[in-house]
Amino acid sequence: MEGEQSVDLIRVQLRKQRALAGMNQEEFGKRTNYSASTVSAVETGTRPIDLPYARRADEILETGGLFESLLRTAQQDAQPAWFMPWLKAERAAKQLRCFHPTLIPGLLQTENYARAVLRFDDTRPEQEIEQQVAARMERQEILKRERPPQIVAVTDEAALRRTDAIMAEQLAHLLRVAELPHVHIHIIPSRAGLHVGLSGPVLLARLSDGTWVGHLESQLGGEAADTEDRLSTLLARWECVRGVALPEDLSVALIKEVESQHGPQ
């Protein structure tokens, strides 16, 4: 709720600053390269405010990065409290290890895929879902840094073979991301059978001082794995998961094979 209220305040300030600058929605849209209908949708809350929009608004309204800063804070407020320690570690990490047995890891999800995953909770209001989608997309900014972390992501072949309409887009995105030199994607083939990763996701971050931070997720939320014993267990399980996965080139080949079965987009 706190994050939602913060975003509503940003919308109010966007309308106010636009009016003070003497621009109607059409003029503001022309200056920011957005349609008047998009400007209206952002200001009325039917379209989420994302970072590109906030940055462009800051440029045109000469607000010195105010709206980008406010939006980042609102997105952080929208995250559940149990997720904040991991989010902090993810942003500071030099290396990230991500495994999920049934889903594409969050840092590699498309907007549509993320939206579908967040809708698993059918009691969540649509506005909250859109805020969470925007926050997840913002997390992916670390992939585009000048000095990005090394990311090794592993998922199961079953996660690629969903028949949802959004999967063709998601598979194409995985192939594009796999071309980045700091992103390494590995797939556990179905022939691997039972493996320790089926017990649940593994998230690990290595910080600049060499220490590791782990995160465990469940149906009810998540928690930090910050004791020596728990980290040791997670690191051992990561090695097992990585060990049964295909090499990078064969993983990319498998993604291409599955993508081809979806037909042209």
Side-chain angles (χ1 to χ4, degrees):
M1 180 62 70
E2 185 177 350
E4 183 176 330
Q5 292 173 341
S6 298
V7 172
D8 287 341
L9 288 174
I10 297 173
R11 296 184 197 283
V12 171
Q13 289 302 315
L14 275 169
R15 288 194 296 268
K16 182 180 293 186
Q17 291 300 317
R18 173 181 59 74
L20 288 173
M23 287 182 276
N24 58 26
Q25 290 179 341
E26 184 175 358
E27 175 63 21
F28 184 71
K30 288 179 180 178
R31 298 281 301 278
T32 56
N33 298 322
Y34 287 94
S35 67
S37 60
T38 297
V39 174
S40 176
V42 167
E43 293 185 356
T44 58
T46 57
R47 180 189 187 279
I49 307 170
D50 57 22
L51 284 173
Y53 189 98
R55 290 183 185 126
R56 193 66 182 136
D58 279 327
E59 292 174 10
I60 299 305
L61 298 173
E62 299 181 352
T63 47
L66 173 65
F67 289 114
E68 179 179 352
S69 177
L70 289 174
L71 182 59
R72 288 185 182 277
T73 300
Q75 289 176 342
Q76 181 170 306
D77 290 342
Q79 298 286 356
W82 54 262
F83 192 65
M84 293 309 299
W86 172 254
L87 187 61
K88 181 178 179 181
E90 185 179 78
R91 288 172 175 167
K94 297 299 181 183
Q95 296 178 337
L96 287 166
R97 305 288 183 260
C98 314
F99 166 73
H100 202 293
T102 57
L103 297 172
I104 305 301
L107 287 177
L108 305 182
Q109 293 177 3
T110 64
E111 184 175 323
N112 286 327
Y113 187 98
R115 185 175 290 109
V117 170
L118 290 165
R119 282 180 176 152
F120 289 168
D121 180 357
D122 57 9
T123 65
R124 184 176 291 176
E126 190 65 21
Q127 186 175 15
E128 181 181 332
I129 289 174
E130 292 303 322
Q131 290 172 3
Q132 289 291 320
V133 170
R136 187 163 297 187
M137 295 301 102
E138 191 275 332
R139 283 172 55 202
Q140 296 180 7
E141 291 283 308
I142 64 173
L143 275 68
K144 306 171 186 175
R145 288 179 185 164
E146 184 177 348
R147 292 181 177 273
Q150 180 200 58
I151 297 172
V152 182
V154 178
T155 191
D156 203 276
E157 182 179 347
L160 305 179
R161 294 193 179 277
R162 306 298 182 198
T163 56
D164 310 70
I166 60 173
M167 278 310 299
E169 176 190 46
Q170 177 63 65
L171 292 170
H173 178 68
L174 280 181
L175 291 172
R176 287 192 297 271
V177 175
E179 294 177 355
L180 298 173
H182 56 283
V183 177
H184 309 276
I185 300 175
H186 299 270
I187 307 300
I188 298 176
S190 56
R191 66 174 182 272
L194 296 175
H195 56 84
V196 69
L198 295 175
S199 299
V202 176
L203 289 173
L204 288 158
R206 187 172 185 269
L207 307 182
S208 57
D209 62 1
T211 60
W212 286 92
V213 175
H215 183 75
L216 297 170
E217 289 188 1
S218 70
Q219 290 280 354
L220 299 178
E223 60 176 323
D226 50 8
T227 66
E228 185 175 345
D229 286 347
R230 301 185 89 189
L231 279 172
S232 178
T233 298
L234 271 189
L235 285 165
R237 292 193 175 185
W238 166 261
E239 290 301 323
C240 291
V241 163
R242 177 63 191 86
V244 296
L246 294 171
E248 196 168 358
D249 58 339
L250 294 181
S251 295
V252 170
L254 179 55
I255 297 171
K256 289 180 178 178
E257 175 191 328
V258 177
E259 183 196 30
S260 68
Q261 296 169 3
H262 280 266
Q265 297 182 57

